[in-house]
Amino acid sequence: QVQLQESGPGLVRPSETLSLSCSVSGVSISSTTYYWGWIRQPPGKGLEWIGSVYNSGNSYHSASLKSRVIISIDASSNQFSLHLTSMTAADTGVYYCARQEDGFDIWGQGTMVTVSS
Amino acid sequence: QPVLTQSASASASLGASVRLTCTLSRGHASYIIAWHQQQPGKAPRYLMNLQFRGVYSKGSGVPDRFSGSSSGADRFLVISNVQLEDEADYFCETWDSTTRVFGGGTKLTVL
């Protein structure tokens, strides 16, 4: 059974960089043909795709966030990571990692990130 | 890039059926979509992917009362015999080679 679990700080200062990790269990991310993605949800709002990464390290990102996003994969620890620079209050919300196939078919439980000084 | 349009809200009586709609933008009518359910305070849950011709493939453990259908650019999620636990937000998702997008979501209220 494949499971994903996000981890990272719950509070980030404005202008700082958010770093989140997603631990994958039940499958080796380096041996699969899936992409792995990050999605976020501001409080009371809808879902926004941030970007996705393949086991080769190839990644692609939302055009609106592209200049601020780095998504990488660490096959040795079976994790993938999100780095989002220049955080502002508008980046506050729940951040999810998910397995990407025809749709994001397995989701982590999400982690709340608040941007505040 | 594709855009997905959903009604903000819908309601259904307990035990009735309801059809939620996700509409693809012009030029993207043939796209596959996915439906997700998000119960209050929980992470989204994948329900199914749904093709242009109405063929759908459900996720593991999704109850039989959930089904999908299509008509042109419209993709439907049909919930039969609506239960209280079906009260949730429902999001559709689609993608192309460079992006992935979500609809704004429909909040389903069970009466």
Side-chain angles (χ1 to χ4, degrees):
Chain A
Q1 180 183 2
V2 178
Q3 292 183 310
L4 289 80
Q5 177 69 60
E6 304 87 351
S7 62
L11 179 65
V12 177
R13 307 293 186 197
S15 80
E16 292 187 342
T17 295
L18 170 68
S19 295
L20 296 176
S21 293
C22 181
S23 295
V24 180
S25 61
V27 68
S28 169
I29 59 176
S30 62
S31 66
T32 63
T33 57
Y34 300 109
Y35 273 80
W36 304 89
W38 287 98
I39 304 101
R40 69 180 183 179
Q41 185 172 36
K45 297 189 177 181
L47 300 169
E48 178 186 19
W49 173 69
I50 299 170
S52 302
V53 65
Y54 194 62
N55 60 16
S56 64
N58 181 48
S59 63
Y60 64 124
H61 317 100
S62 164
S64 64
L65 296 171
K66 186 175 183 179
S67 63
R68 301 171 51 207
V69 172
I70 297 174
I71 298 177
S72 59
I73 201 160
D74 182 352
S76 64
S77 59
N78 221 38
Q79 293 183 341
F80 61 103
S81 299
L82 167 69
H83 301 278
L84 185 61
T85 63
S86 305
M87 294 285 282
T88 71
D91 296 311
T92 292
V94 179
Y95 284 71
Y96 297 100
C97 60
R99 187 178 79 171
Q100 176 180 312
E101 200 188 22
D102 279 346
F104 289 107
D105 66 342
I106 301 176
W107 295 69
Q109 67 182 32
T111 186
M112 179 67 198
V113 175
T114 301
V115 182
S116 176
S117 55
Chain B
Q1 73 177 39
V3 175
L4 297 171
T5 301
Q6 299 181 252
S7 297
S9 62
S11 62
S13 298
L14 188 66
S17 293
V18 65
R19 189 176 77 171
L20 306 182
T21 304
C22 174
T23 302
L24 286 149
S25 51
R26 176 174 286 191
H28 302 96
S30 65
Y31 278 40
I32 301 171
I33 73 152
W35 280 105
H36 304 278
Q37 176 195 61
Q38 187 176 33
Q39 294 173 323
K42 293 190 175 181
R45 174 194 183 188
Y46 173 80
L47 295 176
M48 67 182 69
N49 66 62
L50 176 58
Q51 298 179 33
F52 172 64
R53 287 181 172 78
V55 175
Y56 62 94
S57 175
K58 293 199 295 186
S60 174
V62 176
D64 291 343
R65 62 178 187 276
F66 288 86
S67 62
S69 64
S70 296
S71 177
D74 291 332
R75 303 286 184 269
F76 305 110
L77 175 68
V78 180
I79 310 173
S80 305
N81 187 23
V82 168
Q83 301 297 299
L84 289 174
E85 60 264 32
D86 299 334
E87 184 160 290
D89 292 323
Y90 292 85
F91 294 94
C92 54
E93 174 201 356
T94 196
W95 54 91
D96 63 18
S97 61
T98 64
T99 194
R100 304 188 75 87
V101 296
F102 291 92
T106 297
K107 183 176 184 62
L108 176 64
T109 300
V110 178
L111 305 173

